[in-house]
């Protein structure tokens, strides 16, 4: 098996004549959710060569997420088949393969998001190769080095290595104030909204009515007790909206819950819709370990039903027995103090592209021109189907 999957027909193939290129390196599905819109913005502006790279401990899941979001995966870094599960094992394998990638591609810059392991390794390798690092983060900075663990420590290290730091709002902890710290917003908001109409309506109601969204995704029959506790949760918390999905959404008591005005049941969520809902939710309750692990990267607290979760310092995932899940959700929301997603104008990804282009000297200002935003909004409205 080769280290790298060949370039596909993505942006790297069609924009090979550009003077500057940037590797957009993702090591998890939440990172793809932030980087895919930027890849699309880079392709649309057509002044930088963008190359998407899928890596991490499960590179094929990252590859498939890029593709599901409509962005071609240009390079997929495959790990050796004998890599152990320990963080050090994965990091060691990534270290040599990302270094070889930097040598082969010789990029003008590397763009990473957050504080995942792949992002930390990629930033270190790029720094050693004297390749500028652009670090994009989504407001996860805290005063506690162990919260979230180990992402906050990784985020601070990357911030010290970065040439350009893109943040959701204002300055970021661990990064000096200056012209290299730019506010762009959260690029996950530049993803298209859910394609499922019921799902889209639930998100709109939660936003318009200032409700907190609870995503309940259940597959195992042993998790039925979770659904049984949702009626009490709805009565206790009048300012929540619940979206139920997964195999258990097709049977009782989910079918009865669907009659409640603040409950939406969608048995199957396509991956783009799942990521959109997960990013908008305050808390997710699920027996799917992969979904729960993705949640903190999108700023969402998680309750893992009957799962083998070993608590760590700053852990934002709690493992709860099925019959205790509803009470755990109530406790999480009581301590959440009404967190709401930041307001969005949909141009976060365009601002990221503008900032990178400015770093390369391709435009005068790192700030997106309001005229450009207006023109893009008009083009988007013209392309939207009538009745959408």
């Amino acid at each position: 098996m080769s280290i790298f999957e060949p370039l596909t027909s993505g942006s790297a193939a069609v924009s090979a004549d550009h003077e500057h290129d940037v590797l957009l390196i993702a090591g998890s599905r939440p990172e793809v959710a932030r980087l895919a819109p930027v890849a699309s913005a880079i392709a649309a502006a057509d002044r930088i060569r963008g190359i998407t790279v899928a890596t991490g401990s499960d590179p094929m899941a990252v590859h498939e997420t890029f593709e599901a979001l409509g962005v071609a995966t240009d390079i997929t870094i495959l790990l050796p088949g004998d890599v152990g599960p320990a963080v050090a094992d994965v990091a060691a394998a990534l270290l040599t393969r990302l270094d070889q990638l930097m040598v082969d591609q010789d990029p003008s810059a590397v763009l990473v998001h957050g504080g995942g392991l792949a992002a930390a390794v990629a930033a270190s390798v790029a720094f050693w190769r004297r390749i500028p690092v652009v670090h994009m983060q989504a407001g996860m900075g805290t005063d506690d080095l162990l919260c979230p663990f180990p992402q906050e420590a990784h985020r601070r290290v990357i911030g010290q290595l970065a040439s350009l730091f893109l943040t959701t709002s204002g300055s970021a902890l661990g990064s000096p104030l200056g012209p290299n710290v730019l506010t762009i917003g959260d690029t996950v908001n530049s993803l298209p909204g859910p394609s499922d109409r019921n799902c889209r309506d639930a998100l709109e109601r939660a936003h318009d009515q200032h409700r907190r969204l609870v995503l309940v995704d259940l597959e195992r029959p042993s998790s039925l007790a979770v659904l049984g506790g949702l009626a009490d949760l709805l009565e206790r918390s009048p300012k929540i909206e619940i979206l139920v999905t997964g195999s258990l959404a097709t049977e009782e008591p989910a079918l009865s819950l669907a009659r409640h005005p603040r409950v939406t049941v969608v048995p199957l969520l396509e991956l783009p819709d799942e990521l959109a809902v997960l990013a908008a939710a305050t808390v997710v309750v699920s027996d799917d370990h992969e979904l729960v692990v993705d949640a903190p990267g999108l700023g969402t607290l998680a309750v893992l039903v009957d799962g083998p979760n070993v608590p760590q310092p700053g852990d934002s995932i709690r493992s709860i027995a099925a019959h205790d899940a509803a009470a755990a959700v109530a406790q999480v929301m009581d301590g959440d103090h009404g967190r709401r997603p930041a307001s969005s104008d949909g141009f976060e990804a365009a601002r990221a592209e503008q900032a990178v282009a400015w770093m390369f000297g391709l435009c005068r200002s790192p700030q997106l021109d309001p005229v450009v935003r207006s023109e893009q909004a008009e083009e988007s409205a013209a392309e939207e189907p009538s009745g959408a």
Side-chain angles (χ1 to χ4, degrees), residues 124-176:
S124 296
V125 171
F127 178 74
W128 296 335
R129 292 284 176 185
R130 300 197 178 187
I131 298 170
V133 175
V134 180
H135 186 202
M136 188 169 68
Q137 63 94 17
M140 294 189 297
T142 69
D143 289 320
D144 186 351
L145 192 64
L146 299 179
C147 181
F149 178 85
Q151 289 82 1
E152 174 59 14
H154 291 165
R155 188 194 70 79
R156 295 195 194 187
V157 170
I158 299 170
Q160 295 300 316
L161 302 177
S163 298
L164 183 64
F165 198 94
L166 308 179
T167 185
T168 51
S169 58
S171 62
L173 291 172
S175 179

Side-chain angles (χ1 to χ4, degrees), residues 70-84:
V71 175
T73 309
D74 294 319
I75 298 174
T76 300
I77 298 181
L78 305 175
L79 301 183
D82 60 350
V83 171

Side-chain angles (χ1 to χ4, degrees), residues 275-321:
L275 289 172
V277 175
L278 189 58
T282 296
V283 61
V284 58
V285 184
S286 180
D287 51 21
D288 181 346
H289 186 267
E290 182 180 358
L291 181 67
V292 167
V293 169
D294 282 342
L298 290 167
T300 302
L301 300 173
V303 174
L304 179 62
V305 180
D306 292 333
N309 185 61
V310 179
Q312 300 184 49
D315 202 348
S316 53
I317 300 173
R318 56 183 69 191
S319 186
I320 301 293

Side-chain angles (χ1 to χ4, degrees), residues 281-370:
T282 296
V283 61
V284 58
V285 184
S286 180
D287 51 21
D288 181 346
H289 186 267
E290 182 180 358
L291 181 67
V292 167
V293 169
D294 282 342
L298 290 167
T300 302
L301 300 173
V303 174
L304 179 62
V305 180
D306 292 333
N309 185 61
V310 179
Q312 300 184 49
D315 202 348
S316 53
I317 300 173
R318 56 183 69 191
S319 186
I320 301 293
H323 61 272
D324 293 330
V329 172
Q331 185 180 36
V332 167
M333 290 192 298
D334 286 345
D336 178 68
H337 306 296
R339 180 189 68 85
R340 295 286 187 278
S343 59
S344 167
D345 59 5
F347 293 101
E348 293 84 1
R351 280 192 283 271
E353 189 280 336
Q354 176 80 11
V356 175
W358 169 76
M359 184 181 75
F360 291 146
L362 301 178
C363 54
R364 289 178 137 186
S365 171
Q367 305 295 338
L368 190 65
D369 189 335

